[in-house]
Amino acid sequence: MADELALLVADVYEAAGALRRAGEALAAAEGQTQARWQLMSAVSEQPLPVARAARRLGITRQGVQRIANDLVRDGLAEYLDNPDHRTSPLLALTAVGHRTLDAITARAATAHRVMAEGIAGSDLATVREMLRRLTRQTDDWADTAGQAHGARPKARTATTREEGA
């Protein structure tokens, strides 16, 4: 079983690399990067403080801050006053940012249809459920292992938080 999991991990990393390369190409067609696309997507539904967007994306606040500043500089996003925290403004998309995100998302939908050709929807659903379960179990293991070594628990992934785990 451990050997099969090791092979799955290698396959997931390979798939993630292919998907990142595809994402970069999709974003580049609109003059963006995948990192900018991900952040625009994260704040598209509601403005978020940079720290919360970083936790949602599972990357450092400093990295997200740099990308956020670039989006603001380029007119794709803006900082809004945060009624809950004076020194932590909310990052929100501008109208131009929403149009850019919509264009990238439309390109991605077309690409996803092509990528999914010949794969049954039920197969995709099964793989997604298995990956969510593996993610939860991995997060649980990492939390336990970290606590055993005196480390602070890490932030949960978006998938596990959304499911209330």
Side-chain angles (χ1 to χ4, degrees):
M1 183 74 121
D3 290 342
E4 283 300 315
L5 183 56
L7 291 171
L8 174 63
V9 169
D11 290 343
V12 167
Y13 281 127
E14 186 174 355
L19 290 168
R20 260 192 310 280
R21 289 187 299 277
E24 285 294 348
L26 290 165
E30 297 299 327
Q32 302 303 313
T33 65
Q34 182 164 337
R36 289 167 64 115
W37 174 19
Q38 288 173 339
L39 182 54
M40 287 190 293
S41 182
V43 301
S44 65
E45 296 293 319
Q46 79 178 61
L48 296 174
V50 167
R52 189 170 322 147
R55 282 191 302 275
R56 183 171 176 198
L57 295 170
I59 55 180
T60 66
R61 186 202 57 77
Q62 294 86 349
V64 171
Q65 186 68 63
R66 182 186 52 76
I67 296 165
N69 290 343
D70 290 347
L71 291 172
V72 169
R73 180 199 66 219
D74 294 344
L76 299 167
E78 62 186 340
Y79 290 115
L80 305 175
D81 288 338
N82 183 346
D84 296 326
H85 198 283
R86 236 182 22 196
T87 61
S88 183
L90 301 172
L91 182 67
L93 290 185
T94 63
V96 173
H98 277 287
R99 285 193 300 274
T100 301
L101 177 60
D102 289 346
I104 297 169
T105 302
R107 285 180 185 279
T110 299
H112 292 160
R113 280 191 294 276
V114 173
M115 290 175 203
E117 283 180 11
I119 302 172
S122 60
D123 287 345
L124 289 172
T126 298
V127 169
R128 288 186 63 231
E129 174 53 34
M130 188 274 306
L131 284 172
R132 285 192 300 270
R133 182 175 173 195
L134 180 60
T135 299
R136 282 190 306 272
Q137 290 179 201
T138 301
D139 281 344
D140 290 346
W141 176 87
D143 288 349
T144 301
Q147 290 170 2
H149 291 91
R152 288 181 22 190
K154 301 288 184 198
R156 303 296 284 206
T157 62
T159 301
T160 54
R161 282 195 310 274
E162 289 169 5
E163 293 172 356

